[in-house]
Amino acid sequence: MKITLLPGDGIGVEIVDAAVEVLDAAAKKYNFTVEYDKKLIGGAAIDACGTPLPEETLASAKASDAVLLGAVGGPKWDNVDPAIRPEKGLLNIRKGLGLYCNLRPMTVSKFTAHLSPLKTERAEGADLLIVRELTGGIYFGTHNEAHLNADGVEEASDIEMYTRPEVERIARFAFEAARKRSGKVTSVDKANVLGSSRMWRKIVTEMRDKEYPDVELNHFYVDNCAMQLVLNPKQFDVVLTNNIFGDILSDEASTIAGSIGLLPSASLGDGAGMYEPIHGSAPDIAGQGIANPLATILSVAMMLRYSLNQDAAADAVERAVDEVLEAGYRTPDLWAEGLKKVSTAEMGRLVAEAVK
Ligand code: NAD
């Protein structure tokens, strides 16, 4: 397997190192070989090459089985030309790889439920997967910037547009994922108001009836879904959304987990998938060896499952993370009296040992 490593900026470098140790342990245990190609992205790439996504980075990613990304950005690059900001590197690599499907799992285990802003009994045991369409909808529709209309009034607009194939391919992903989980899809829309949502709902319902009759499907308006997520997150299994609703709901869902350092993500297309923690480059703690690498390690588990076809290894990595937490080891962001405080590298080593 060929993996492109993009540590990026800030804590990206430390957490990717820890995750690679875990991936190496999984490869050894489950008998496959991994070859790495480390490349620049974000601020580090701006410093070295004057662009946040050098051509050779994209070429390496395209030629690999999967990409593991740390994070990009930091105060050093806050004032660079917007056309070459570190985040542009991220948007451009997603575009370059055609990543149309974003997966964000959110689980609340008994070890972390007390960190949730929700009551512990409400949060503990929540286990959902948000499947978000990533390359269509209003973010990619026609943008009419602010201008004066014929009546001399300033106006602006953005177009929400989806085609049937775009809806079908993301819905198919959600149905397939539900079959591997507890068999339930909640599709989110605003069909009471939007034509694009009415088409979305029609297509998703047709697909369930024709191709996935074994999967339970319900539809929530996005405003109700936002409420239900905090009232009863345990009612959800797979949540299927368009681009903009998924952007908002996935951030809302992530707060329920209580820590940003625990949540992985995957972005998939027809070629190499990209795996990254949901947090940023945390410049405030970069270089101190105290960042939590578990979100990146859990992103490796997703990579094993979705790109490398190593389901057993993926399960083993997730189990190893649970074991290490159960044994009481925590990086400082999760640490409390009575627990064992460890560094980023030590956490990586402990999980790697547990995998072995
Ligand atoms: P952030 O996620 O980097 O940090 C928010 C807070 O969470 C900070 O206090 C940080 O120390 C803490 N934190 C984050 N990850 C942690 C971890 N693994 N372990 C322990 N603590 C952790 O968000 P921010 O401060 O808003 O952004 C910092 C930089 O990251 C900005 O330049 C931003 O543009 C960039 N960013 C990048 C991505 C990405 O690469 N995907 C995502 C979000 C933000």
Side-chain angles (χ1 to χ4, degrees):
M1 316 277 183
K2 185 177 166 249
I3 311 293
T4 298
L5 295 178
L6 305 178
D9 308 314
I11 61 169
V13 181
E14 304 155 55
I15 54 180
V16 165
D17 276 352
V20 164
E21 190 164 350
V22 175
L23 183 52
D24 281 339
K28 203 162 174 196
K29 168 100 182 174
Y30 289 89
N31 251 330
F32 56 92
T33 49
V34 201
E35 209 180 277
Y36 300 107
D37 190 20
K38 200 182 268 192
K39 291 282 183 260
L40 295 171
I41 193 168
I46 295 172
D47 287 352
C49 324
T51 164
L53 183 66
E55 266 170 38
E56 60 171 65
T57 298
L58 183 58
S60 166
K62 280 184 173 167
S64 68
D65 293 293
V67 179
L68 181 65
L69 177 96
V72 299
K76 182 174 176 196
W77 304 282
D78 275 351
N79 297 317
V80 300
D81 174 358
I84 58 153
R85 277 183 68 93
E87 293 77 6
K88 270 269 172 202
L90 212 54
L91 292 179
N92 288 344
I93 195 168
R94 285 180 185 151
K95 203 164 152 200
L97 292 175
L99 304 173
Y100 61 82
C101 171
N102 182 241
L103 298 181
R104 278 228 210 159
M106 194 284 291
T107 52
V108 186
S109 77
K110 61 181 179 209
F111 311 116
T112 52
H114 64 285
L115 299 168
S116 175
L118 299 188
K119 291 190 179 106
T120 305
E121 65 274 17
R122 199 169 275 195
E124 187 177 327
D127 181 0
L128 59 85
L129 175 69
I130 296 186
V131 177
R132 166 188 168 195
E133 202 290 324
L134 204 57
T135 51
I138 198 164
Y139 293 170
F140 292 86
T142 307
H143 303 294
N144 286 307
E145 297 296 333
H147 61 277
L148 293 182
N149 69 14
D151 299 325
V153 178
E154 194 169 15
E155 64 176 26
S157 65
D158 305 275
I159 309 263
E160 166 82 0
M161 229 270 293
Y162 271 106
T163 62
R164 175 175 275 270
E166 282 176 323
V167 178
E168 283 179 350
R169 69 181 178 182
I170 193 73
R172 180 156 290 116
F173 208 100
F175 285 124
E176 294 290 338
R179 276 187 173 160
K180 291 189 186 161
R181 294 170 52 95
S182 62
K184 183 176 165 189
V185 170
T186 299
S187 175
V188 179
D189 60 43
K190 190 73 184 164
N192 48 344
V193 184
L194 302 175
S196 53
S197 277
R198 282 189 283 277
M199 183 186 81
W200 176 282
R201 189 179 281 219
K202 181 171 67 114
I203 294 171
V204 172
T205 307
E206 280 170 14
M207 286 177 72
R208 196 284 308 268
D209 293 349
K210 281 195 201 131
E211 298 176 51
Y212 299 94
D214 52 311
V215 176
E216 185 188 337
L217 171 68
N218 60 1
H219 304 275
F220 276 11
Y221 295 137
V222 62
D223 41 352
N224 184 31
C225 187
M227 272 196 304
Q228 295 297 329
L229 266 175
V230 289
L231 286 172
N232 180 14
K234 284 186 252 185
Q235 71 183 290
F236 295 103
D237 179 20
V238 173
V239 179
L240 166 65
T241 80
N242 70 2
N243 202 344
I244 186 169
F245 297 159
D247 189 7
I248 298 163
L249 293 176
S250 59
D251 270 16
E252 183 192 354
S254 70
T255 64
I256 295 170
S259 167
I260 200 169
L262 286 171
L263 296 173
S265 79
S267 301
L268 308 175
D270 296 324
M274 190 160 87
Y275 300 82
E276 55 182 308
I278 70 154
H279 58 72
S281 59
D284 52 330
I285 58 166
Q288 299 174 35
I290 57 171
N292 185 347
L294 292 180
T296 318
I297 290 170
L298 290 168
S299 301
V300 162
M302 293 188 82
M303 174 193 286
L304 288 164
R305 185 169 292 123
Y306 293 106
S307 284
L308 307 187
N309 266 326
Q310 297 285 341
D311 283 12
D315 292 345
V317 169
E318 286 166 354
R319 260 197 325 271
V321 168
D322 270 352
E323 272 172 36
V324 169
L325 289 173
E326 182 149 31
Y329 296 103
R330 301 284 190 280
T331 41
D333 54 315
L334 301 181
W335 181 82
E337 211 60 59
L339 296 167
K340 298 166 216 166
K341 200 186 279 184
V342 294
S343 68
T344 311
E346 283 165 338
M347 184 56 99
R349 206 155 304 134
L350 284 162
V351 178
E353 284 301 322
V355 169
K356 281 181 201 159

